[in-house]
Amino acid sequence: MHADDVVNCHVLVIGSGGAGARAALEASRYGKTVLVSRTLTGKGGCTTMAEGGYNAVLRKLDSCPMHVEDTLRGGAFLNDPALVDVLVHEAPDRMADLIAWGAVFDVTDDREIAQRPFGGQRFPRTCYAGDRTGHEMMATLVERLRGSGVRQLQDTAVIELLKDGNRVTGAAMLDRDGDLIICYADATVLATGGGTRIYDISTNCAAGTGDGFALGYRAGAELIDMEMVQFHPTGAVYPYDARGRLITEAVRGEGGLLLNRDGERFMTRYDPERMELSTRDVVSRSIATEILEGRGTPHGGVYLDVSHLPARTIEERLPVMLEQFLAFGVDIRKEPMEVAPTAHHIMGGLRITPEGQTTLPGLFACGEVTGGVHGANRLGGNALADTQVFGKRAGESAGKEAVRGGTVARSRIEELRAHLDGYYGGTTPPAEIVGRLRLAMWDGAGIFRTEKSLVETGRVIDELAALTPRAAGSQNLLWCRTVENMIVLSRLIVKGALLRPESRGAHVRKDILQDWTPDRSPYMHTYQSLSRAGIETREVQV
Amino acid sequence: MKEMTVRVSRFDPENDTEPHFETYTVSVHEGARVLHVLHVIHDTLDPTLSYRYCCEAGQCGSCSLRVNGEPVLACMQEAKDGMTIEPLNLPVVRDLTVEMEDVLARLAPFPAREEAGLPTKEEIEAMKPLRDCIECLSCVSECPAVDVASFLGPTAMCQEMRIALDPRADQNRIRNAIEEGLFTCTTCQRCRDVCPKNIEIPGKAIEKLREIANRQGLTLPRHQDVARLVEDTGRSVDRTKPTFLEQVPEVIEPDGPVRGEVGFFVGCMYNGRLPETALDMIEVMKRNGIRLIIPHDQVCCGSPLIRTGQTRILPALKKRNIEAFTRRGITTVMTMCAGCGSTLKNDYDTPYTIKDVTEILTEYGIEPPAALDIRATYHDPCHLLRGQGISREPRELLKTVVREFVEMPSRCCGAGGGVRSGLPDQAAALGRQRDDEIKKTHADVVVTVCPFCEFHIADSTDRPVKNICTLLLEGYREKDRKKGVKKESE
Ligand SMILES: Cc1cc2nc3c(=O)[nH]c(=O)nc-3n(C[C@H](O)[C@H](O)[C@H](O)COP(=O)(O)OP(=O)(O)OC[C@H]3O[C@@H](n4cnc5c(N)ncnc54)[C@H](O)[C@@H]3O)c2cc1C
Ligand code: SF4
Ligand code: SF4
Ligand code: FES
């Protein structure tokens, strides 16, 4: 390992997905901004994979109160209402920013941004760019970044937030050779995205290892509702290595039908009103039940069929789906897809104010790494809006922080270095730890949970945490650190799930009987930090 | 599960001076992609293996590399036993990881005009195909022009065209596009071939940008000369000797019974520069029973104009060429110039079928020639291989007429896209690269089926460069000679 490189800046943004890129653009208006990402700028993260769309109230017939209500209802009333309010009211403006910066979204014949229906919403308010909406947003943001003064550190990952007292003053990172870089910043924005890669079956990209949750937690920030993990109803089941890959909700939005082995449109039995376009938690549980009760397909899924739609509609509206399935030998214009639930989104995360301020001074957060916006279940299309709305807010808040020129205790860096060196003498290949972790999380902390399954998963996690991942060379140090992050995230999820004695939204405790509906639940957020953990309660009028 | 053995290129910048191959045997699931094979190697055999990936769904463009020499997305390409995995043809950082940041950083930012409002549906639809680009740089890594000229590459042209199409852009960037190397592209179509998103950069971006440059008077002077020549004479080359059309009648009957009949579209090069080659072709056709109908009122197909963005008089040329053949009731038109063939097939809407001479000869089947006592190699003309998807026919014909056939890697010779006339130094540099490959084959003769390639490669190598028809004719003459010798000795 070489002598540390040191980078100084006003704002350090960690992660170049939709939220991080937006935050960096905003922060750069206030001072020198550095954008660091594990991958090449814009190429990492889940934003670029998002297919379906971006929710915004744009039409006279739609309204912000309606969007708020849909979001709260979808989120099983666990959402932080102040955050929802901001999300809904600013989503249209942030969409306008993207359009002004050159985003190529679909438009109608009347030259309005086209919108389509998405699950759990009473108005078709999901804006889209074919089925590569997230890619379009990233392309636009990256074009904008190129013309901005933001300095990009690519193929470089943050492994620890650095502090001066209680204040976050930057971060330590590893570049692709495994060399340590230290960055001092007046303000730091965490925008590392989600982490469902801790599950055996996941839609997330390879960067979805939940680094940010672990970084924040270790630094002392408080996280809320970590048990709230969304299982998307429609993930691919074949081929094995591509299991979990997302089949966008747009497929159902465009009229796709869910059928069991017997060709029955089984949603009639679970949600006859909303059918296939019910909220994700409901559809996921319905599919999981069909499979568990033996009405699944040979590959262990159910059918999702669009073959009744005109071929042209499929070609125009779902080109990426068509192309991906063709690559796997299935022509969705003629045959049904096979789908099953897959771990998709982490609704919980760092507690933030509407300004994107975390519970730690100097640390801001935005995007999927935060909690509170989506409550117990996220509506399709709300996450992309979240990245832009809170990306801008967090970037602006960070930018407005005073210039102070932070310092970090040298000893902290030495400690970190010693910790990294420890990986060279590690006990276990990282992939082995991760493989076991993923299975344990899927089995015990997945769609259906019980105290017993959670405790057992916790035990496996403890066992895995006792192992030291082994590095074969300096470029493996990051992967070892990532394994530790995944363990931290898994623990947070399991503990959150044990803290919440109810079924709510995406969190289903099969061992708990309750006589309240979500709007009448006595519980609010679960919270966890280095110093405390628990669940908030509230008075409910009977 | 299934087992497969693969070769992977490894390079450690600290210890290696150049990459080497390692062989790995791994066990993977049915349907595994190349990326999953790399994961298994990394996770179980060698954790130091370096490769990029992220989305694993063909959407982020990080995982591009080469399998058996062809660029692919590792996350989408199905893994095959025995495959060879190499990095893209870009500076290698480590193993399969290449330097991408530099190229990406130089792509144009979007010059947003405030308060521009939404584009119309038509404008959006026009931009969309270019927006599919995931910036995987497969195209850049394979582009011959990037290799020898100051050219930012096809991705940059895609981006410039996307900006040019966008009514929200407040800047006319055509001069930037020219600085980035707009005129260095040979229109070889290699980028289109390797693009995982099937983006037609030469046709949909580069030629269109050249049209915009043309409207602003920025076409290269030499290209303007060509356009003027076509306008004045109907031909893109000047008359320096008797042309092919001046030397032949409209109908050429075969020696024996008529087995078929085709119209012949000669093209400017064979008409004006290399009429001898076209006359050789006639001999081959006569010998094989194919009647040729050669309308004398045909003109330039317009290819040199389309490739250089000078399309103003194109409709008039098209009309004349279509009428010249339909008036004579011709249903199949044969080309022997790859450029004309590709243009008539792809840029025209013809009421008749277009076929290359090698397709015609293969379809009808030819009298076997004598095998000449030479070693030959074949140069794939870009406009035949990629423009028309033809590679098998010329090789099979060639194998019948030589003692030995050796392959060489197919790559653009540098003649196309107006580069030979507009940027001769660049064309010569690509020509020299061809010569290097030719030398490696130790061939006595280079065979091709395009007058531009024939002419240009001949300038770059000391080997003779011949059209397949010329060689076939030599084979027939040899056959006749042998027969004669035999008769005499009887
Ligand atoms: C397949 C798929 C489809 C989706 N479709 C939709 C949709 O249609 N509509 C919708 O609203 N939402 C959708 N979502 C959800 C949505 O895409 C995400 O929630 C959102 O994009 C997250 O954005 P982000 O900026 O927070 O994180 P990401 O886009 O995930 O970006 C995270 C960034 O952080 C970087 N990073 C991570 N760890 C580190 C580290 N340690 N150091 C440095 N950098 C790091 C990564 O490299 C990356 O650049 C989808 C999600 C997936 C997976
Ligand atoms: S057509 Fe050939 S020369 Fe032109 S950009 Fe594509 S690869 Fe490069
Ligand atoms: S044009 Fe195609 S090959 Fe080139 S960078 Fe874009 S997606 Fe890749
Ligand atoms: S990993 Fe993203 S395109 Fe292959």
Side-chain angles (χ1 to χ4, degrees), chain B residues 115-232:
Chain B
E115 311 295 330
L118 267 181
T120 63
K121 190 169 185 181
E122 290 67 40
E123 288 163 340
I124 293 281
E125 293 307 321
M127 285 185 271
K128 263 175 149 182
L130 300 174
R131 276 309 245 192
D132 284 341
C133 173
I134 54 172
E135 297 177 359
C136 69
L137 305 190
S138 295
C139 56
V140 176
S141 73
E142 290 291 309
C143 172
V146 166
D147 207 14
V148 299
S150 162
F151 180 31
L152 257 188
T155 318
M157 295 299 106
C158 182
Q159 172 66 358
E160 290 295 356
M161 188 63 206
R162 162 265 183 292
I163 295 173
L165 284 171
D166 200 319
R168 292 166 295 184
D170 82 335
Q171 194 186 355
N172 173 355
R173 289 187 49 91
I174 201 67
R175 283 177 196 275
N176 303 66
I178 293 172
E179 264 165 42
E180 288 166 3
L182 177 60
F183 290 114
T184 66
C185 161
T186 65
T187 67
C188 75
Q189 308 279 342
R190 178 71 179 147
C191 51
R192 182 212 61 188
D193 247 29
V194 301
C195 176
K197 299 288 162 182
N198 302 316
I199 303 175
E200 297 171 44
I201 293 188
K204 296 274 162 64
I206 291 173
E207 288 168 11
K208 294 289 180 286
L209 285 167
R210 288 177 177 180
E211 279 182 35
I212 298 174
N214 183 249
R215 287 199 292 274
Q216 298 179 22
L218 295 169
T219 298
L220 295 181
R222 301 254 201 129
H223 292 168
Q224 292 180 20
D225 294 346
V226 174
R228 223 167 288 125
L229 199 60
V230 177
E231 204 160 347
D232 294 348

Side-chain angles (χ1 to χ4, degrees), chain A residues 124-183:
Chain A
R125 67 168 72 91
T126 306
C127 317
Y128 57 93
D131 58 357
R132 40 162 209 76
T133 309
H135 173 260
E136 181 56 42
M137 287 171 59
M138 279 325 301
T140 306
L141 293 165
V142 169
E143 278 178 322
R144 189 90 184 158
L145 277 171
R146 267 182 217 134
S148 76
V150 174
R151 174 168 173 204
Q152 300 170 27
L153 294 180
Q154 313 190 55
D155 276 340
T156 301
V158 169
I159 55 164
E160 195 77 326
L161 294 175
L162 298 175
K163 288 169 72 179
D164 183 1
N166 194 36
R167 188 181 174 84
V168 172
T169 52
M173 23 202 167
L174 288 173
D175 69 11
R176 67 179 163 216
D177 295 322
D179 291 333
L180 203 58
I181 301 173
I182 304 297
C183 177

Side-chain angles (χ1 to χ4, degrees), chain A residues 338-397:
Chain A
E338 278 182 70
V339 299
T342 168
H344 185 49
H345 192 91
I346 300 203
M347 272 82 65
L350 277 81
R351 195 195 278 272
I352 53 164
T353 66
E355 284 67 48
Q357 171 77 57
T358 69
T359 55
L360 287 180
L363 183 65
F364 300 82
C366 50
E368 197 171 332
V369 77
T370 67
V373 180
H374 308 290
N377 175 50
R378 170 173 74 78
L379 292 184
N382 267 358
L384 288 182
D386 173 356
T387 64
Q388 298 308 288
V389 168
F390 291 97
K392 174 177 189 287
R393 284 182 158 245
E396 182 174 340
S397 305

